[in-house]
Amino acid sequence: MAEAELLAATVMMGEHGRKRAGQGDEFWQYRPVNAGDSARLIDWRRSARGDAHFVREREWQSAQSVTLWVDPAKSMAFSGDKSRAPKADRAQVLALATAVLLLRAGERVGLAGDGAPPRPGRAQIVKLAAVLSGAEEAGEYGAPTATGMVSHGRALFLSDFLGDLAPVEAALTAAADRGVRGALVQVLDPAEEEFPFSGRTIFESMGGGMRHETQQAGDLRARYLARLAERKDRLAQLGRAVGWHVSTHHTGQPAQSALLWIYRALQGGR
């Protein structure tokens, strides 16, 4: 939570205006007085500039519901260097920092599933942190769920997306059917991106379910990078099909850049 709070402090976030008159704090526009408007609605300072009377309208604002899914699978525990945190740590910090920003802006934030439905307020950050830190590793690779998403809300999926992409497609389709828009962030370790292996190497999955030994790891690099590029392209295609934004973040990169991208993506790319 402390790391997420510090990270969130580096990003300034605005309110979710709806660009029409109604309840809210932000000025939207002046309009001429209409029949039926009470005198208390008139902006006398603006009206004093001419012969007509004007009403000062405020921009209508309402809270969005944003649902987060952070992959709890064993593959997320990988780190290619002792100096780097595991992918799971970075994904959880990014999720919590996103929640901090959204909750401060008056939004409702929750987790996919039934553990923490979207709610507003500071206490929700504590709830989210408790659920994320207590999540049990579930299998070699994770599968997102659309359970708990609020219709016409927003969503954020954080994962390495190295497992079967069929569940990802199913979750995105279910979300799109509810009018949910959002973002996918593929969190990878630099070693997974660069494949810096050569000579005799033993590759083993984090859960121990898969193992491969080779005498010439360098010979696998071109094929591995091609497969990874294909996977990224498939993720991008899935995102475009449902109107979601897709990005890749490396644990060797500053978290601030990823958080800023997430903020902009959840704002619809504005």
Side-chain angles (χ1 to χ4, degrees):
M1 278 188 62
E3 187 175 354
E5 292 272 10
L6 289 173
L7 178 57
T10 67
V11 176
M12 299 297 293
M13 187 172 187
E15 304 245 354
H16 291 280
R18 300 299 185 222
K19 301 304 178 186
R20 69 173 188 258
Q23 299 289 330
D25 298 322
E26 299 296 322
F27 168 74
W28 181 39
Q29 67 177 4
Y30 291 111
R31 65 166 175 81
V33 171
N34 296 323
D37 288 335
S38 65
R40 66 181 180 82
L41 295 178
I42 297 175
D43 188 296
W44 296 105
R45 179 176 296 180
R46 172 64 181 84
S47 301
R49 300 176 189 171
D51 297 328
H53 289 164
F54 291 90
V55 170
R56 179 185 178 94
E57 287 188 334
R58 290 174 176 160
E59 186 178 353
W60 180 78
Q61 296 170 327
S62 69
Q64 288 183 351
S65 290
V66 183
T67 304
L68 312 175
W69 177 73
V70 182
D71 192 345
K74 295 176 181 177
S75 67
M76 294 293 288
F78 176 74
S79 174
D81 192 295
K82 293 181 179 179
S83 65
R84 289 193 297 269
K87 294 180 290 183
D89 288 11
R90 177 58 61 87
Q92 290 178 5
V93 167
L94 284 173
L96 281 177
T98 300
V100 169
L101 291 174
L102 293 171
L103 290 167
R104 285 180 179 172
E107 312 290 30
R108 296 184 295 266
V109 184
L111 297 177
D114 303 321
R119 289 194 175 94
R122 167 70 187 179
Q124 183 70 346
I125 299 175
V126 179
K127 174 67 174 178
L128 298 179
V131 175
L132 287 175
S133 62
E136 296 183 0
E137 294 179 348
E140 292 277 10
Y141 301 104
T145 176
T147 303
M149 291 187 184
V150 178
S151 296
H152 304 290
R154 293 288 186 268
L156 171 65
F157 290 175
L158 293 146
S159 172
D160 56 15
F161 297 110
L162 294 179
D164 185 6
L165 291 181
V168 179
E169 182 176 7
L172 289 175
T173 301
D177 288 343
R178 300 181 191 177
V180 176
R181 303 286 290 274
L184 299 172
V185 179
Q186 185 179 34
V187 182
L188 296 176
D189 186 273
E192 294 172 319
E193 184 76 26
E194 301 164 4
F195 200 80
F197 307 107
S198 62
R200 181 177 181 272
T201 307
I202 298 175
F203 298 98
E204 188 172 14
S205 63
M206 295 304 295
M210 291 173 279
R211 190 175 187 273
H212 176 73
E213 181 176 352
T214 178
Q215 299 297 323
Q216 298 294 333
D219 293 344
L220 301 176
R221 187 172 187 273
R223 281 179 287 170
Y224 170 84
L225 294 178
R227 292 286 296 275
L228 181 61
E230 290 174 4
R231 178 167 294 266
K232 289 183 177 181
D233 184 62
R234 178 58 178 156
L235 276 175
Q237 292 177 13
L238 292 175
R240 285 194 298 269
V242 295
W244 282 43
H245 300 273
V246 181
S247 179
T248 299
H249 173 67
H250 302 153
T251 55
Q253 297 174 332
Q256 289 89 339
S257 59
L259 180 59
L260 184 58
W261 182 90
I262 291 170
Y263 158 63
R264 289 173 174 168
L266 293 180
Q267 293 294 298
R270 287 182 294 169

